Amino acid sequence: MNMKNANLVRAQKPQAGMLAVFAGGCCGTFARVGVCVLAGLGFSHPGIILAINLAGSAVLGFSQTYMRANHPHLKQFVTSGFCGAFTTYATFVGILATLAAAPWLCALYAAASLAGGVLCARAGQIAGTMARAKTCTKTRATSSR
């Protein structure tokens, strides 16, 4: 590859990354709206937002571990794009502000969201590590034949 082509490839990578994040964000937003509509409880029901944020944490943990650097644009699509749009910090904080009149309920919701998010992300990381090991084992077995 000559120098001109190498510079062209480098110049295109940030644009591809931005496009991956944008496309993932569109998909994440659509998925979040879909979950809220299917649940039929509105777009800021505390139970739905908690479920979305916990599921998003698990997907984030899995994709961070499983994808590593093998597929940088797919990783950007899933982590920053999809998970960033699917989960929602702003609605979480809005729920906490609404629940502030009931301090125990507010603290319980915050603890469940934060601790649950960390636990789900860790479970996703473990699943991603196991899936990655399984994929690597299959790849090695196939290539040694």
Side-chain angles (χ1 to χ4, degrees):
M1 179 181 294
N2 65 31
M3 189 57 115
K4 186 176 179 180
N5 287 343
N7 288 336
L8 181 61
V9 169
R10 268 188 247 126
Q12 290 175 345
K13 285 188 179 186
Q15 294 166 344
M18 287 187 286
L19 183 59
V21 172
F22 174 77
C26 291
C27 292
T29 300
F30 184 73
R32 179 173 172 216
V33 168
V35 168
C36 291
V37 168
L38 287 174
L41 298 173
F43 294 102
S44 59
H45 186 275
I48 298 303
I49 298 305
L50 178 62
I52 286 171
N53 287 344
L54 295 179
S57 295
V59 170
L60 183 64
F62 179 87
S63 58
Q64 285 178 327
T65 308
Y66 181 73
M67 290 179 193
R68 299 271 171 127
N70 300 355
H71 306 286
H73 297 310
L74 179 59
K75 187 174 180 180
Q76 290 171 324
F77 174 91
V78 174
T79 58
S80 298
F82 182 85
C83 290
F86 183 63
T87 61
T88 170
Y89 181 74
T91 305
F92 165 68
V93 171
I95 290 168
L96 292 180
T98 302
L99 295 175
W104 285 104
L105 186 56
C106 182
L108 180 64
Y109 187 82
S113 294
L114 296 174
V118 171
L119 290 173
C120 286
R122 185 64 187 132
Q125 288 175 334
I126 292 167
T129 300
M130 291 170 53
R132 186 172 172 79
K134 191 172 186 177
T135 302
C136 289
T137 302
K138 283 182 180 178
T139 303
R140 277 189 232 125
T142 304
S143 64
S144 66
R145 290 183 192 175

